[in-house]
Amino acid sequence: MVTALPGGVMAAPSAAVSPGAGGAAGPPRHTVLRPRLSASPQEQRWLQAAQDFARRALLPRAGPGGPEPPPLDAVLRCLREAGGGDLPLGYSFISISDLQHQQCTPCCSHLTWSTNEFKEWAHQGQGSLPMQSALPRAYLILVGYLTDGRQEDEEKLVDGCLYVKDNTGIIPCELLHFELEWLESLFLFPGWSYIPQTDQSAAGYVEILVDPVPINLPKEGPVSIPVTCPAPAEPLLTSRIPCKKRSKLTVAGELARLGPLLCIRHKTFFFLFLKCSTSAVWVPVLVQKPNQLVWHHILQLGHRYTITGLTMSSLKTSGQRMFVTGVSSCLLPYCAEQVGEQPLGSVWQGESTQSSLETAEQLSNSLELGAEEERPGLTKESKIISYVGTVTKILNVQAGLFLLDDKVCLCLAYQQLLNSARGLRPGACVELIDVHLLQKPLVSFPFIVLGACLSSTVVLRSFSRLSTTYQPPASSGNLYFQLLFRYNLGMPLYLWLGSLLETFEERFSCFFRRRQLLLCSMHRNPGAAEKFLVPLLQAVMPDRKEARDVYNEILAKTHQCPLQKYLTLTPPCQAPSLSAVWHAAEQKSWEGFSPSQLLPPLEAQHMGTQELNRRLAWSYCTLSAGSFQPRLILLGVLRVSSRSSSLQLQDKSSTLPCVISHKDGSPFAHTALIGSLLQVENYQLVVERFLQTDFPSWEYLENLEHVREKKTSVYVQFYFEDIQVLHAAEGQIQKALRSGNSSSLRKKDDDSLTSELETPEAKMLKLEDPKPVTNRDEDCQGGQSSTRRTSCVSHLFLVTQKEGLMLRNYQRLGEDGEAQELQRSFQATVLWLGRPQLWSHPREIGKLPELEETSCDGGEGMTRQEALLLFMGKSLRWFPFLHLDGLYRFVVPCCSDLEVFDKLCVPPVPVKFPSRASCPLCLPVQDTWHLQHETWIFCLPEHQLAARSVPTGMEQRISSIPEVLSNSFTGSLVSCSGEIVERTLCASPKNEKPSVSLQKQKGTLLASDHTVKLSVSVAPGSPVVMDVYIAAIYLQHLWGLLPGAKVLFQNLERRISRFQNVYCTYMASSCVSITSLPASHPSVPCSPAGEASWPSLVFLSSLQPHLQNLPQARILCHLSCVLTLSLQWVCSLCSSIFKEGRCTRHSPPCPSHIGVRQASARVLVEDGTGEALVLCRNQHVAAMLGLGPLEWEALQKCVQSRGRVTIQHGEATGTGWVEEPEDLVACYLRSLCRSPLICRPILLDVSLDRKPSKILQTAPLQLRNFRCGEVEFVSQVGARPSLVCLNVQEVEQDALSYLNSERMRRTSAHCRAGATA
């Protein structure tokens, strides 16, 4: 093997440097250093190690005059000079390769320092950042060549950086001071620091703390080189003579400006500007030759230099001219004796930049004084300053953002950072020259910003003394810089973009590779971050700016750059972490919350303690993206949890349950989206609020001391059509096969229910824990061949019935054979379609060959078989995807046995089994199986319609709500769909308490004795409403049960009450699916009939058949009389009579001291076509009696001292307590009820009183006498219907006339229609 040394001489392998044990044929080329005879054993061992190091890392170079002296001799000489004549025996040599691969932590080496000197140095470094630890000291000796990374045999892309090199490797380095003659020379580095990268797989870099010591003395050179200045530069720069005809020039002057290193189109270059010493005239010089890029480390502002071999050139686009270095150009120190300076003219005399050097305190003080003059919405111009500060924090190295002095943000993104920001660690001191000061460019950004443009200069003044690692920005494909230059972003937009991108990467880097997230679309498809950010930038910048003109920004006489003017930006949107979303939603749900908002004030006054607190126990509010400022965008990885069996969005911080529906009403079943990164902008964020309160009565609702506990449950619901997939997940089976081991798809030995994605720190989404278990089938264990590792077996099936998720008596046997506790599970009845299929790889699964087989051979008994699937453990994750009438496929990975489904049945299916639909198979679904949704049965094409012919009795019938409520309905289990119009929390019936096993379930925040009543209608505004009761224990897995949502219920139990009312209850085998989400509007209480149902005006004669189809009606009637009236005060705790400020219950005594007023009345009304009895309660009683608020309050106070006042009048004969004759309140009420003032026309909203038994049955006609003056009539009338008053309105004379004419018109039209018939 031959090694190329920096000097270009080819040296033999290190083994040939010194002879081996057997000796060589000739003497060695170089003498080898021998230890002194008087050397101690320690020194001899040290010298031997030094020789070994020299053989391996420091082969001598061959110079033009013959071989150079052995490097080790010169190294030892330098070490003795540095140590005062002694060798540093406490130090050891280290090669570049060993430093890169063995040193994993930051360290520093100070060869000539004492312990006290090092401690003082370290202590001073911790002054600015006391929380950081100082660099630890390492006793290592570093020797190597300083080089710029170029190769002698080829001219590769040079980045202008410096490196330390030996025969074992090369490493980047940073120096505060560099001389041109140091290049390609061997040095001893007495003080240096090694800073490794955060990524341990990549090497770090070296910081040279003090000037290196040359191993070989530099050769004597001429003291000065005679330089002759050219003719005046002004005629040359403005001349029209072609540049090719001009000779090479030499320019000397003071370095006025030094541009950053840039790389454009694979060409690295930089600009420098030399200034005339007698005027402000300056000329640009372009340095672009690879061997001259190292000048960038030598040049210092304010110093004078001479550059030879310059030619003239101009830009093709703008025609701007400049000097360009050639291959023979040299950078020389300025020597006034040899240079005759020529005037440069005024052509390059532009606007000189006046900048002031400011400290952090001066900067912050000046900004505070000018803060009052800031006007939002106005374009501001940045100020150009110079600044010296200490790096205290790396805000975002990929975006080029650094924090100085804990107050100022330094942005280097507008420069390319070709040195990968080496040296800019916390604790380093930097000097910024001609940077832009931007105050509050972004509303949400907390720091002042200093932006370095291409005319700015950043100088590293001192290295950090702290032990911090180094994370370089991406050298290629940096999405921050790509978007910055592509859209020519200003500072406000770039800071907002940087915050979004940084949060994006932090949230999802644990799920996907960083390359997948931040992939730039320059040469391939864009990554997830670019798909997310580009539409936002295009929306904010509809008129895209022109591309950034880098050359004009550098060369223009008038400074122009993207940082010159700016406008304070208010972020148009945000994408916080899911934990922040959860916190913000909770906070908004409780902002301005008052329990009195949840109850109508007139109803709350008459509620007892139990009813009042129960009505407050559960409420909700919905939030949209616009509810947050700025607008909130949801991002998350879609996953499904086997613990809660719910869909979830997940990032690194938290998870957020979600409900997904289709706008066409079909259920969500896209299993392929599991593991995909989703973006949702149109959604409903639902916050369910749970309160534990002990309010005595409505009067205490404003006193929040009675709120004992507040809890919330947050979830989001959105439509599938509103999803944007930023990164599609790789197929779940392909992920498992990529690992090359099927054990990654096995379940845990302990049958743990830990679902996939429970640990977001995992680099990839995992489905199961990598712990193998024994499988009863050999062919399903993966095998050793590649075929078995990639093959899989699938089986197509149709879901005909699905039951809910609940604790069931399905038990798994443990290893000791003892039965465990009840398992959370669900089951589904399916129909196998076709036979199991064998695939060589999961990617080949496609189309539906099973249906082709079924429709062709016609052998239904052979290819169709009913089965009962049992889902337990981790297979519970398929619960939200499995829906009625869906065609699915089970895929068994790493398996080649087509009988695997039969063998796993309980009990196993014999080989010769007469497959019949009447003999369903029971199949426990394994944790390792994968579910794929194919299509819906109603979406199959014509040639596959044979699969629709489901055996009789298997297809679950979906009934309509009118059918369920019909008296002719005979089924006990029903399935129906509808829209929720009202959700009410009520007490559970005493005879329907849940079992002990069900009460053990965790997850619900409601008490187990509560029941939710859902009023469900066929459609919005439909008159037909059915009540569905769901016990609180079933609600832990039910999301999205909100008013306005459309739902599909399966296996509800139909019941009939003792008053002949039909309702349904949710059982353990019931299931509910959300098919459509509520409309996006603020949550308001809804009437059972919906918002669109306005009561229609009807006659009392036609009221009974009308109310059988409508929940309520409106009648214009005359109040005939008040039959009964009852006013009472009851105890809020026990409902006993409350009198004189205390409860009257004595056995046992009631401790309550709070009463609640209640009122009821039964009145008789008629409208000329019939009569009706109307029951009024509470506030409607006052309206019926015509009492105002003040009169009603005074009457209630009088009743409070008596406890109860009851009167009966007219036909209302019966038993009950009757007032004393001398009771003034009773006398007043009796006279009021008999007064003709209350007999008046009124407008009533009523509904049928469904409590009386058989109220809906038609009663026979009765003969009744009517008298009008002295004339008496006899007529047949129907029975008086019992109605419940919903609202009372007084009728003015004009309204009464209009309603009567309208009624007469409808009556005439009805009579004409009857006569025509």
Side-chain angles (χ1 to χ4, degrees), residues 478-534:
N478 189 315
L479 189 58
Y480 292 91
F481 297 164
Q482 293 286 351
L483 295 178
L484 171 66
F485 286 96
R486 185 191 310 173
Y487 292 94
N488 196 13
L489 301 178
M491 182 65 74
L493 272 176
Y494 180 70
L495 292 177
W496 175 60
L497 168 75
S499 64
L500 288 178
L501 191 51
E502 182 181 15
T503 305
F504 186 91
E505 181 182 0
E506 179 183 358
R507 293 173 59 188
F508 303 112
S509 59
C510 57
F511 300 101
F512 309 100
R513 297 184 182 92
R514 185 179 181 276
R515 183 180 182 87
Q516 294 174 329
L517 292 178
L518 305 182
L519 187 65
C520 187
S521 61
M522 297 298 293
H523 305 291
R524 61 192 72 191
N525 295 329
E530 188 172 355
K531 289 181 181 178
F532 167 59
L533 293 173
V534 167

Side-chain angles (χ1 to χ4, degrees), residues 1122 1124-1126 1159-1163 1174-1177 1181:
V1122 178
T1124 61
L1125 176 64
S1126 175
S1160 63
R1162 188 175 293 273
V1163 300
V1174 180
L1175 176 63
C1176 305
R1177 292 189 179 92
V1181 175

Side-chain angles (χ1 to χ4, degrees), residues 75-195:
V75 170
L76 294 180
R77 175 178 49 81
C78 293
L79 289 175
R80 284 193 173 95
E81 292 177 356
D86 297 329
L87 292 174
L89 303 182
Y91 287 76
S92 59
F93 290 92
I94 186 168
S95 65
I96 300 299
S97 176
D98 292 341
L99 184 63
Q100 291 175 322
H101 296 93
Q102 298 180 10
Q103 187 65 35
C104 300
T105 58
C107 66
C108 64
S109 177
H110 299 275
L111 188 61
T112 61
W113 283 11
S114 65
T115 302
N116 292 334
E117 289 175 329
F118 172 75
K119 288 183 178 180
E120 179 65 22
W121 176 82
H123 179 72
Q124 292 176 359
Q126 290 181 285
S128 58
L129 296 172
M131 301 302 294
Q132 295 282 351
S133 60
L135 280 168
R137 188 174 186 178
Y139 298 89
L140 300 173
I141 302 174
L142 182 64
V143 179
Y145 296 91
L146 278 176
T147 178
D148 58 1
R150 287 181 292 119
Q151 301 291 336
E152 287 291 336
D153 53 345
E154 60 179 354
E155 187 175 308
K156 67 162 192 156
L157 180 63
V158 180
D159 54 8
C161 298
L162 291 174
Y163 300 85
V164 177
K165 179 181 179 181
D166 64 9
N167 290 339
T168 66
I170 187 170
I171 186 171
C173 70
E174 291 293 323
L175 296 90
L176 300 179
H177 171 238
F178 180 72
E179 300 292 343
L180 190 58
E181 58 268 18
W182 291 358
L183 199 63
E184 302 299 337
S185 297
L186 182 63
F187 285 92
L188 167 68
F189 300 95
W192 53 274
S193 300
Y194 174 68
I195 310 300

Side-chain angles (χ1 to χ4, degrees), residues 831-1103:
L831 180 69
W832 295 119
L833 299 178
R835 300 180 178 87
Q837 302 289 322
L838 177 63
W839 310 88
S840 59
H841 197 279
R843 286 193 297 265
E844 298 180 359
I845 299 178
K847 299 183 179 180
L848 298 173
E850 296 89 345
L851 295 185
E852 303 292 343
E853 170 190 344
T854 302
S855 59
C856 292
D857 62 9
E860 180 176 321
M862 184 178 300
T863 58
R864 295 178 184 170
Q865 172 65 43
E866 181 182 358
L868 181 65
L869 303 181
L870 306 180
F871 294 83
M872 295 178 289
K874 293 183 180 179
S875 63
L876 292 178
R877 65 182 183 272
W878 306 122
F879 180 79
F881 294 101
L882 213 62
H883 299 287
L884 195 67
D885 291 337
L887 264 70
Y888 299 85
R889 185 189 303 278
F890 269 134
V891 180
V892 183
C894 307
C895 178
S896 58
D897 184 9
L898 293 177
E899 299 180 357
V900 58
F901 297 99
D902 293 337
K903 292 180 179 180
L904 292 175
C905 288
V906 182
V909 180
V911 177
K912 295 182 179 180
F913 178 72
S915 178
R916 300 188 305 274
S918 59
C919 299
L921 305 176
C922 184
L923 177 62
V925 178
Q926 303 300 301
D927 293 343
T928 62
W929 293 359
H930 297 275
L931 183 72
Q932 292 183 1
H933 176 255
E934 298 293 343
T935 183
W936 302 102
I937 189 67
F938 47 79
C939 296
L940 292 177
E942 291 294 333
H943 67 281
Q944 294 176 338
L945 288 180
R948 292 176 180 261
S949 56
V950 182
T952 305
M954 285 199 61
E955 185 176 7
Q956 189 176 18
R957 183 175 181 271
I958 305 299
S959 305
S960 65
I961 291 180
E963 290 176 347
V964 176
L965 296 178
S966 173
N967 293 331
S968 61
F969 195 88
T970 57
S972 59
L973 292 180
V974 298
S975 297
C976 59
S977 61
E979 179 177 322
I980 301 175
V981 294
E982 187 180 27
R983 188 180 78 174
T984 309
L985 192 63
C986 53
S988 299
K990 296 182 179 179
N991 59 344
E992 295 184 4
K993 296 297 181 181
S995 62
V996 178
S997 61
L998 295 181
Q999 291 181 2
K1000 292 181 181 180
Q1001 293 192 113
K1002 298 180 181 180
T1004 178
L1005 298 177
L1006 289 174
S1008 59
D1009 58 346
H1010 285 168
T1011 296
V1012 177
K1013 183 183 76 172
L1014 299 179
S1015 299
V1016 184
S1017 67
V1018 179
S1022 173
V1024 183
V1025 177
M1026 181 183 70
D1027 293 333
V1028 179
Y1029 293 87
I1030 305 177
I1033 57 172
Y1034 299 116
L1035 293 174
Q1036 58 177 324
H1037 307 298
L1038 305 182
W1039 306 96
L1041 297 180
L1042 303 178
K1046 295 181 181 179
V1047 294
L1048 171 64
F1049 288 105
Q1050 301 177 53
N1051 299 328
L1052 294 177
E1053 183 181 9
R1054 181 179 183 270
R1055 295 186 178 184
I1056 302 177
S1057 69
R1058 56 194 177 102
F1059 299 111
Q1060 304 302 310
N1061 296 321
V1062 178
Y1063 64 98
C1064 293
T1065 59
Y1066 194 94
M1067 307 184 305
S1069 60
S1070 303
C1071 185
V1072 60
S1073 302
I1074 308 297
T1075 58
S1076 183
L1077 305 179
S1080 298
H1081 56 75
S1083 56
V1084 294
C1086 300
S1087 63
E1091 296 179 354
S1093 60
W1094 185 260
S1096 58
L1097 191 64
V1098 298
F1099 295 105
L1100 287 176
S1101 60
S1102 59
L1103 185 63

